[in-house]
Amino acid sequence: MPVRVARISNDALELDAHIAAVEDPAAGAVTTFVGRVRDHDPDAQGAVVALEYSAHPDAETALARIAERAIGDTDALVAVSHRVGRLAVGDAAVVIAVASSHRAEAFEVCRAVIETIKTDLPVWKRQVEADGSTAWKGLGG
């Protein structure tokens, strides 16, 4: 099964667990991506202190489909998770690991997964600023 993990989770995301999930003796390359909460946003009036993520009940199924489409006809293996709930600055919101026989495929699949998450995954975030103000930030991660 090429999609080894596709999870929406309230728990902290662990990069090592995602790398282990795509372990395969045929894989000559493993790429990873960790999307973290940062302390600023171009649209924010002040410092960002947290993001609050919520997900549609079908988000996990959608995440698996995103990974499957990104894999296409490659030999890539994917483990991907998106966190929900309140995340502090520095927390991982998205973790992706992709293993493939060649690095070009691993990089391409990893990039396709995160770019499609940003546009198609039914997960929304509310940005919390230091002064307590909040702003919803649309569809995607």
Side-chain angles (χ1 to χ4, degrees), residues 13-15 18 33-35 79-82 92-97:
L13 304 180
E14 299 294 332
L15 179 60
H18 287 74
F33 174 83
V34 178
V80 56
S81 297
H82 199 299
V94 179
V95 172
I96 305 167

Side-chain angles (χ1 to χ4, degrees), residues 67-85:
E68 288 167 1
R69 283 194 312 265
I71 291 166
D73 61 359
T74 72
D75 69 351
L77 305 171
V78 174
V80 56
S81 297
H82 199 299
R83 192 159 169 207
V84 293

